[in-house]
Amino acid sequence: MKVGFIGLGAMGSAMASNLVAAGHQVTVWNRSQAASEKLASLGAKVASTPDRAVQGEVVHSMLSNDQAVRELFLDGGLLGAMDPGTVHVNHATISIALARQLAEEHAKHGLSYVAAPVFGRPDVAAAGKLNILVAGQASAIEKARPLLELMAGKIWPMGELPERANVVKLAGNFMIVTAIESMAEASTLAKAYGVSTHDFLELMTSTLFASPVYQVYGKSIAEQRFQPPGFALPLGLKDVMLAQDAGHAAKVPMPLAGVLRDSLLEALADGAESMDLSALARVSERRANLDKRKKDG
Amino acid sequence: MKVGFIGLGAMGSAMASNLVAAGHQVTVWNRSQAASEKLASLGAKVASTPDRAVQGEVVHSMLSNDQAVRELFLDGGLLGAMDPGTVHVNHATISIALARQLAEEHAKHGLSYVAAPVFGRPDVAAAGKLNILVAGQASAIEKARPLLELMAGKIWPMGELPERANVVKLAGNFMIVTAIESMAEASTLAKAYGVSTHDFLELMTSTLFASPVYQVYGKSIAEQRFQPPGFALPLGLKDVMLAQDAGHAAKVPMPLAGVLRDSLLEALADGAESMDLSALARVSERRANLDKRKKDG
Amino acid sequence: MKVGFIGLGAMGSAMASNLVAAGHQVTVWNRSQAASEKLASLGAKVASTPDRAVQGEVVHSMLSNDQAVRELFLDGGLLGAMDPGTVHVNHATISIALARQLAEEHAKHGLSYVAAPVFGRPDVAAAGKLNILVAGQASAIEKARPLLELMAGKIWPMGELPERANVVKLAGNFMIVTAIESMAEASTLAKAYGVSTHDFLELMTSTLFASPVYQVYGKSIAEQRFQPPGFALPLGLKDVMLAQDAGHAAKVPMPLAGVLRDSLLEALADGAESMDLSALARVSERRANLDKRKKDG
Amino acid sequence: MKVGFIGLGAMGSAMASNLVAAGHQVTVWNRSQAASEKLASLGAKVASTPDRAVQGEVVHSMLSNDQAVRELFLDGGLLGAMDPGTVHVNHATISIALARQLAEEHAKHGLSYVAAPVFGRPDVAAAGKLNILVAGQASAIEKARPLLELMAGKIWPMGELPERANVVKLAGNFMIVTAIESMAEASTLAKAYGVSTHDFLELMTSTLFASPVYQVYGKSIAEQRFQPPGFALPLGLKDVMLAQDAGHAAKVPMPLAGVLRDSLLEALADGAESMDLSALARVSERRANLDKRKKDG
């Protein structure tokens, strides 16, 4: 199939590679050139401007936030550059407000819009094992399905309203950050009584909480290894705030989200800008002043 | 071995049964008679008074809270009724303050004290697959080990200070309640946008959060089946408050615990006294007023 | 002096009236006509379009939120319609982000910009007794001072950076909402033990908390009189969220603000859209289920 | 009148002095001798043991917490040392649970019990201007009234159930701590934008929040003067926890109290053991890392 792919960060590159490897004619575009060259070496065609990358039957995009999506597709006029009937599959984690606006604008341009946010890190994307949430018109999803199946371990249908896939992604990321804050507070408590964080989290993450999220972030916390970030802390804050925005628009109080927001802000105020989400553990320890007390005691 | 066992609730019965089945001479005592009779039918000896159940080399107790432990062992004089050298293995989830007092009092009476709280529900106990945290003097633990191995899938050593096993149990239960509140808030958000709680939690608990805690409580939330309780909501509140007490004594702030406490209290104020912890989901939905809004809309 | 005045809600009308009464030549504009007519009857000139109301030496504006300010002054081109050297005194409660953008845009157009948010309700404005926070270039403030003094009980200088006046306004409104939530929780606790809200709040607001904010909102809570709103609950939520945004931009965690946001959202979910901020008391009572329990008991 | 007075801390001394000065025959007792001597110099009789200080028609006590009250009156047998018919006026800030137990135990001994907690610092007590909350049997209150009037600016009747005066005291102290945390967060926000804490709090505490609580603690915050403590931070934490306990017993969620508890704990972890409640401001600044950022910037 003739396919376009916009946005070649760590996730987008891995996803696009799987399409190329399966023999599709993929035209890619990325803001910076380096990522495109890697895809070119695998057999992709590199577009010099974004509008040339949206000529396929299906166009995927994997951009980093609302602003990037808005700049290219709404302000930048990419919707007008696509042929009517094109299916745009948007993998980005975006706000509900933008999800609604995109659905409307695509309809105005006679385009099909599928929201398809994903769960999984770059290594999972490379292995074609992502969990992909899809929402949009059934016919559009069917057209994109062969491509999605190249990227996905499993495809999770969420209905026709695109925003539903987005709210599930935000709710899921909220659960991830909560899990990390929970490990941070619990292991600080245990540590204050002399139990090593490593012992505590090994127990928890190999028994009651033996699941990927707890194991991946629990390992970072136990080893105090917060760089390089797997899931950058500022992005985690962005997603918690998008979940809060979604809660605000629907009048859904989320008291845990309020706690997460403040802990993440406190982490940033303490210099965690380039650290992983698991650096929330530093905030818990700082609040309890464990290091300082150890020295004094 | 000659063994005593005090406390035959759902957990205690299952644990004691495994000792009897392995051929140990087990003398049991329970406040109400019915539970003892079941153990008798399996081959246990039933003591008419608690002091007659503490004559073995090792005495296990599995009582429901601080008050029950305090009444029998401290105020009730059971410590004085044990032979010096006896090993007391206390499986109860108790406060750090009581854990410390028990350690001191056992030492004064020349008794060995092992804290051995467990993770696992009654069916896991019956299968002899509990995760048992142990802390106490190495020699005492070694003496009890053959018995513990009959109950445990795995034994997790936490050092010589008994309170360390207790703080780990409290920290773990805090993480369990946090996980439930997290599912409650996230699924209410998703539901407000039209995503069914069943679909949302099936996705989450079979992917990122594919672990026992999320799956067990997620199922209750998805099916809105809050009775009979697997883990009674008032006991969950008790444990969150014990974790807060432990945090207070060690000057460890735990903002998530504050949220949990209020959500659990709100559940109780709304009549969840005899419900499962998963009834936290009712609180989230009530806050967002989803049912009422649906009717109005 | 020749003065313009944009925005004639309850506050703006009262403020503009004082300028007219003092003999200034005031040209007013308001989106809806009715408010303008009242000012006309006092001696103001009514502009048919907003650009005709910004021809004075000093232009005041008192609009309800970011959107209204943005639409008129930035998107609507009013900045271009003012003569270079004009002083624009913006009384609105707006975001820090917009405050910064306005300061930049005014400078580009050769205009002087003064942020002058106010504390006080319409009756205080009518009496010319507002507390007005001012920030901007000293010369611009001096030019506007004779006008500000007609509206103010006291003028509080906050320096040259306009955003400083805005952040003080947001911080102050955050303190107001906190005070109300504090009375709501405290009086619900007292009520659960049989102390009437009236007795409790009369004590508090005539002793330790004998200040305007506590007395005004305490009276509403004690009398359960939440309509018509003095300070509409949705506006209170807007301001708490602007304070959170300001906190986010400056990396300042505000845990109380998180609690306020959720309580206000819960009030909205329960139908308080057209109620006063003091309707936060309904949320506290609902959480504790006092009414229901009384009926059952 | 023949009067007993137990407990001569800063508050108790000032209160007892007023009774002595009015010509009553006051017998005092205090754990440490020094305070008694000062009262003796004013004309009080000093009892060598507490039981000799409870022989009057009315016995006042002003002890620092539950433990001190419990040790003397319940465990120490003072109730048995009083003549039947004696009125015991308990001014201490105690838990609801102890208030209930004291009411029962006094009744069993044929004694009249009046709960009479106070609002006001030592200087207010010395001036005889305290706000005194009273709850108990009307006849007992009448008997004590002439004495209470010597201490009080105003007496606030709260009904016959003693615990009602106690819950009002706890609810009031909760409001005090909330007010301080509110000033702490708001002034940190303002400071992050360059507004001095002094300027911000002068504005707030002379306008909307022109009341004793805000002015007293606002001054400490503005001057960063946290020692010696007027209201010691650990006592503030104790009272917030008593309010939470009262909320727990009556199933009243108090989300603000959860935030206060954690902020106070964080202050203690950072060394504020001997500081004033206003040291909450240090916690807010530390979270936002303002000092550190200033140095780096």
Side-chain angles (χ1 to χ4, degrees), chain C residues 275-291:
Chain C
M275 293 187 190
D276 185 71
L277 262 181
S278 50
L280 278 170
R282 287 163 38 110
V283 174
S284 269
E285 291 220 4
R286 186 175 176 243
R287 283 177 183 149
N289 219 5
L290 289 192
D291 284 348

Side-chain angles (χ1 to χ4, degrees), chain D residues 78-160:
Chain D
L78 274 196
L79 294 193
M82 290 194 235
D83 287 334
T86 303
V87 175
H88 176 201
V89 182
N90 183 357
H91 297 290
T93 299
I94 58 170
S95 70
I96 301 300
L98 180 55
R100 287 181 179 173
Q101 193 180 349
L102 286 169
E104 283 174 22
E105 293 296 326
H106 280 77
K108 282 187 197 161
H109 286 80
L111 303 166
S112 293
Y113 180 64
V114 176
V118 308
F119 284 115
R121 294 195 175 202
D123 57 329
V124 179
K129 298 286 190 195
L130 293 169
N131 283 289
I132 306 188
L133 323 174
V134 293
Q137 281 190 311
S139 59
I141 292 173
E142 283 320 300
K143 201 162 170 189
R145 185 178 298 277
L147 302 166
L148 292 168
E149 282 176 348
L150 295 168
M151 305 168 176
K154 187 159 180 180
I155 295 170
W156 300 84
M158 292 289 152
E160 297 223 332

Side-chain angles (χ1 to χ4, degrees), chain C residues 100 131 133 156 164 175-176 181-182 185 193 203 206-208 211 214 246 250-251 254-256 287 293, chain D residues 100 131 133 156 164 175-176 181-182 185 193 203 206-208 211 214 246 250-251 254-256 293:
Chain C
R100 287 181 178 172
N131 283 289
L133 322 174
W156 301 83
R164 289 191 181 166
M175 284 177 65
I176 292 172
E181 172 74 13
S182 172
E185 294 188 16
Y193 284 89
L203 162 60
S206 61
T207 57
L208 291 74
S211 75
Y214 282 87
K251 296 179 192 164
M254 298 181 75
L256 292 180
R287 283 177 183 149
R293 284 201 262 162
Chain D
R100 287 181 179 173
N131 283 289
L133 323 174
W156 300 84
R164 289 191 182 167
M175 285 177 64
I176 292 172
E181 172 75 12
S182 171
E185 295 187 15
Y193 284 89
L203 161 60
S206 61
T207 57
L208 291 75
S211 74
Y214 282 86
K251 297 177 192 166
M254 298 182 76
L256 291 180
R293 283 200 262 162

Side-chain angles (χ1 to χ4, degrees), chain A residues 100 131 133 156 164 175-176 181-182 185 193 203 206-208 211 213-214 246 250-251 254-256 293, chain B residues 100 131 133 156 164 175-176 182 185 193 203 206-208 211 214 246 250-251 254-256 287 293:
Chain A
R100 287 181 179 172
N131 283 289
L133 323 174
W156 300 84
R164 290 192 181 165
M175 285 177 63
I176 291 172
E181 172 75 13
S182 172
E185 294 188 15
Y193 285 88
L203 162 59
S206 61
T207 57
L208 291 75
S211 73
V213 163
Y214 283 86
K251 297 178 191 164
M254 298 181 75
L256 291 180
R293 284 201 261 162
Chain B
R100 287 181 179 173
N131 283 289
L133 322 174
W156 300 83
R164 289 191 181 165
M175 284 177 64
I176 292 172
S182 172
E185 295 188 15
Y193 285 89
L203 162 59
S206 61
T207 57
L208 290 75
S211 74
Y214 283 86
K251 297 178 189 164
M254 298 180 75
L256 291 180
R287 283 178 183 147
R293 283 200 262 163

